[in-house]
């Protein structure tokens, strides 16, 4: 199996309290990978370990190895010092250092900011900047150096068209983004991510704050996006896992395991065990 | 059924207590707000009543023609124009000296400092905030004495010294307001900016500072008001009763708070006292005008940052 993310013995702790314990997992290069588990099981920490966002939290220490495919094969994203003994705090601005085969060389010059740009992340609640719709999309594009102010409108239009917002917002790009509905805001966040051309998407319960209709819309978009790139999604909802398909992992007390190694996916798991969705949900809790 | 009723009955007293407490709290808060507005209104009315009748060209320029006085072509002997100009220079120079270190220190404490540095610098800022203004004035005066006795015998109290001492006085306000405004930026917004691939500097410059701008500007406005009204510091560091328009950074100067103090300390007639009230009104208008300008600048900046397609 081609992997988009390969995690080996990842330990993450905050102020000495472990959040992830020796997690080893590999996510496929295409399609949706779902991580299920109850609150506090370490799902979001695992997700943030993939784009090194845990380092933005005080008292965080990570050890282990995380390799991500950003288009040039698997590359180590943590500095070498983090791969050894536990307790070493990663340097926030350190670039990932390549190790091993020739195809891993590409990450040497990759800065932390560039790494995060190429691993897009969508949060539970739409996190829009308190500025206009246009500026929300243009600011990261221009600040990351992906395009100039002149080129930005075309990219913005393409991204908005992809998430189906262009028709709705065409004449309102200069209005405050926070005035949009919850579903529109989350789609705008998705458009902002896609405009940055990420190689991989991390989604931290992206539909948790949305109503059913808006959730379905986002799910459709995600299924479409997952055809071209890897999507790793954290969810609370087993019904969502059943709808989305893809491979499923269960996160529990800081460790992770596949929901059904033989058949793969939540549907296979449910069918094999002959369990109703409600019962399965109870078991997962 | 009976159990449910019993549990309902047990739960009742708490909401009743809350209901009993809330109107009192509501009344107390409303009373505090109304009292504040009442005090402010009474102050304005009193100053208007006392100083309004003398608020004219003569109060500002005395017998000197207005244009000559403004351009400094002829001295103003019995008007408060030099004091007004001196206060304006003092406030602007103080802000120039205090803005960068104040906001910079606040940014450092909020964004870059480790826990130990935060605690140390935080304590230092608290101590500085607790220094009475007369002590700050005395410090400035001592600095001049030291300079005169050591390697700068020509040194004297002046506009620059007064501004520097005032800048030290308002520095904690700027530091604390900047730090608090930045620390109040929602964590989600910080994470989002980081996750989008913005560098630390870009996050600070383009997201955090603009979001925190309102809080930072509140600090600037407070610092502005403080530097316009403080008398104790400038009394020991360069203000005089008759200096004319400020002639330079190293010159003595006049200032409205000192002019008000000077007139009220030795007035001979009710007309002279009325001039002091007039000067107070002018000081209030000057401070209010500068604050209005500052908040206009702040809201304009925020509008430019947040809105539009560019």
């Amino acid at each position: 199996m081609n992997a988009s993310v390969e995690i080996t013995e990842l330990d993450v702790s905050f102020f000495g309290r472990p959040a992830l314990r020796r997690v080893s997992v590999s996510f496929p290069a295409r399609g949706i990978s779902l991580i299920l588990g109850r609150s506090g099981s370490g799902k979001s920490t695992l997700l943030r370990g993939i784009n090194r966002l845990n380092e933005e939290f005080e008292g965080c220490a990570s050890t282990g190895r995380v390799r991500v495919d950003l288009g040039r094969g698997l590359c180590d994203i943590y500095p070498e010092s983090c791969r050894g003994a536990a307790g070493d705090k990663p340097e926030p601005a350190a670039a990932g250092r390549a190790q091993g085969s020739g195809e891993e060389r590409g990450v040497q010059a990759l800065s932390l900011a560039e790494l995060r740009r190429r691993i897009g992340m969508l949060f539970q609640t739409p996190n829009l900047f308190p500025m206009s719709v246009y500026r929300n999309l243009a600011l990261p594009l221009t600040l990351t150096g992906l395009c100039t102010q002149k080129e930005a409108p075309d990219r913005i239009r393409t991204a908005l068209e992809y998430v189906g917002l262009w028709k709705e917002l065409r004449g309102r790009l200069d209005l405050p983004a926070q005035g949009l509905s919850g579903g529109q805001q989350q789609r705008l966040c998705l458009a902002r991510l896609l405009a940055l051309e990420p190689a991989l998407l991390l989604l931290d319960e992206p539909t948790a704050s949305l109503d059913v209709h808006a959730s379905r819309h986002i799910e459709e978009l995600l299924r479409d996006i997952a055809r071209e790139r890897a999507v790793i999604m954290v969810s609370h909802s087993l019904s969502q896992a059943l709808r989305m398909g893809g491979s499923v992992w269960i996160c529990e007390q800081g460790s992770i395991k596949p929901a059904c190694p033989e058949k793969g996916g939540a549907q296979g798991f449910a069918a094999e065990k002959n369990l109703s969705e409600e019962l399965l949900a109870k078991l997962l809790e | 059924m009976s159990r449910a009723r019993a549990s309902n009955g047990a739960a009742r007293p708490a909401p009743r207590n809350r209901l009993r407490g809330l109107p009192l709290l509501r009344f107390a808060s409303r009373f505090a707000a109304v009292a504040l507005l009442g005090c402010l209104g009474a102050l304005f009315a009193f100053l208007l009543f006392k100083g309004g009748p003398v608020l004219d060209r003569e109060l500002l320029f005395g017998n000197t023609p207005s244009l000559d006085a403004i351009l400094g072509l002829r001295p103003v002997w019995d008007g408060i124009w030099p004091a007004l100009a001196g206060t304006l220079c003092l406030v602007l120079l103080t802000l120039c000296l205090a803005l960068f270190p104040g906001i910079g220190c606040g940014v450092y404490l909020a964004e870059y400092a480790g826990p130990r540095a935060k605690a140390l610098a935080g304590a230092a800022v608290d101590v500085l905030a607790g220094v009475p203004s007369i002590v700050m004035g005395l410090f400035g005066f001592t600095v001049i004495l030291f300079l005169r006795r050591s390697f700068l015998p020509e040194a004297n109290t002046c506009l620059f010294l007064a501004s520097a001492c005032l800048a030290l006085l308002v520095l904690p306000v700027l530091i604390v307001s900047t730090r608090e405004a930045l620390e109040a930026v929602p964590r989600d917004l910080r994470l989002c900016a980081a996750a989008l691939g913005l560098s630390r500097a870009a996050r600070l410059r383009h997201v955090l500072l603009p979001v925190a701008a309102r809080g930072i500007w509140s600090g600037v406005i407070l610092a502005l008001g403080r530097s316009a009204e403080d008398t104790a510091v400038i009394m020991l560091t360069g203000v005089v009763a008759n200096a004319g328009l400020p002639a330079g950074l190293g010159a003595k100067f006049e200032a409205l708070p000192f002019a008000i103090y000077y007139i009220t300390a030795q007035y001979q007639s009710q007309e002279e006292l009325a001039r002091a009230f007039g000067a107070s009104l002018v000081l209030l208008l000057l401070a209010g005008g500068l604050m209005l300008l500052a908040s206009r600048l702040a809201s304009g900046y925020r509008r430019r940052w947040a809105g539009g397609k560019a």
Side-chain angles (χ1 to χ4, degrees), chain A:
Chain A
M1 178 184 75
N2 284 336
S4 61
V5 177
E6 199 178 87
I7 298 172
T8 315
E9 306 222 320
L10 179 67
D11 275 310
V12 180
S13 62
F14 297 97
F15 294 107
R17 274 188 66 181
L20 290 180
R21 293 188 187 89
R22 296 195 161 278
V23 167
S24 294
V25 63
S26 182
F27 295 109
R30 292 277 180 279
I32 296 176
S33 305
L34 267 147
I35 304 172
L36 295 177
R38 61 185 180 185
S39 297
S41 59
K43 310 182 296 290
S44 300
T45 307
L46 176 63
L47 217 56
R48 291 195 302 258
I50 298 173
N51 63 352
R52 292 180 59 183
L53 205 59
N54 283 323
E55 291 165 31
E56 296 299 319
F57 291 82
E58 245 179 90
C60 168
S62 308
T63 54
R65 192 173 196 194
V66 178
R67 300 199 306 153
V68 179
D69 182 358
L70 297 172
R72 285 190 243 167
L74 288 170
C75 308
D76 276 299
I77 60 161
Y78 282 94
E80 210 163 343
S81 61
C82 302
R83 298 179 214 149
D88 288 347
K89 194 182 172 188
E91 299 154 30
R97 256 176 265 154
Q99 201 182 46
S101 69
E103 64 180 3
E104 293 175 356
R105 275 196 301 270
V107 81
Q108 274 188 338
L110 203 65
S111 70
L112 184 59
E114 177 67 1
L115 173 84
R116 286 175 180 164
R117 179 189 73 73
R118 296 176 69 180
I119 305 177
M121 187 165 189
L122 196 63
F123 296 87
Q124 187 171 352
T125 47
N127 283 331
L128 290 166
F129 299 133
M131 46 174 67
S132 69
V133 171
Y134 183 89
R135 290 265 296 158
N136 256 288
L137 290 153
L139 192 79
L141 271 176
T142 49
L143 289 182
T144 53
L146 207 63
C147 72
T148 60
Q149 292 274 9
K150 276 186 179 176
E151 294 161 350
D154 288 339
R155 272 178 183 264
I156 287 169
R157 180 176 177 160
T158 310
L160 286 175
E161 278 174 347
Y162 190 85
V163 298
L165 273 178
W166 177 249
K167 280 183 186 169
E168 294 168 47
L169 299 180
R170 186 166 41 188
R172 298 191 286 156
L173 292 178
D174 54 347
L175 292 181
Q178 287 173 326
L180 303 177
S181 71
Q184 283 178 322
Q185 287 192 22
Q186 196 65 312
R187 277 192 285 156
L188 188 61
C189 288
L190 194 56
R192 187 171 61 180
L193 277 191
L194 294 174
L196 292 171
E197 298 176 344
L200 159 71
L201 276 188
L202 307 176
L203 313 171
D204 192 357
E205 299 183 51
T207 59
S209 62
L210 304 181
D211 62 36
V212 179
H213 179 73
S215 296
R216 295 285 191 275
H217 199 146
I218 295 280
E219 284 170 12
E220 273 173 36
L221 281 169
L222 293 178
R223 271 195 293 268
D224 197 45
I225 291 166
R227 288 193 194 109
E228 296 166 7
R229 48 173 78 82
V231 173
I232 303 172
M233 179 170 163
V234 157
S235 177
H236 263 125
S237 159
L238 190 72
S239 56
Q240 187 175 49
L242 291 167
R243 276 198 307 276
M244 300 292 281
S247 47
V248 178
W249 277 264
I250 307 290
C251 208
E252 200 176 17
Q253 292 179 337
S255 60
I256 190 167
K257 60 187 178 192
C260 179
E262 294 81 21
K263 293 196 171 183
Q267 279 163 330
F269 183 53
E272 187 187 74
K273 300 288 181 189
N274 199 19
L275 298 175
S276 68
E277 190 187 314
E278 288 80 8
L279 189 54
L280 200 56
K282 275 183 188 171
L283 283 173
L284 287 172
E285 283 171 10

Side-chain angles (χ1 to χ4, degrees), chain B residues 127-200:
Chain B
V127 170
L128 191 61
V131 174
S133 52
I134 189 73
V135 176
M136 200 62 86
L138 198 61
F139 166 71
F141 186 67
T142 316
V143 167
I144 288 298
L145 287 182
F146 169 73
L147 287 175
R148 283 175 79 102
R149 285 172 192 167
S150 55
F151 46 87
L152 209 63
E154 306 286 306
N156 207 345
T157 53
C158 59
L159 180 62
F160 182 78
L161 178 73
S163 301
C165 290
L166 274 178
L168 271 179
L169 199 71
V170 300
L171 213 52
V173 177
L174 289 169
I175 295 172
V176 171
S177 62
T178 304
R179 181 182 173 176
E180 285 180 353
L182 279 170
E183 284 177 346
V185 174
R187 171 159 278 280
D188 287 353
L189 212 60
R190 287 171 178 274
L191 280 183
C192 173
L196 284 169
L198 305 191
S199 66
R200 201 166 190 186

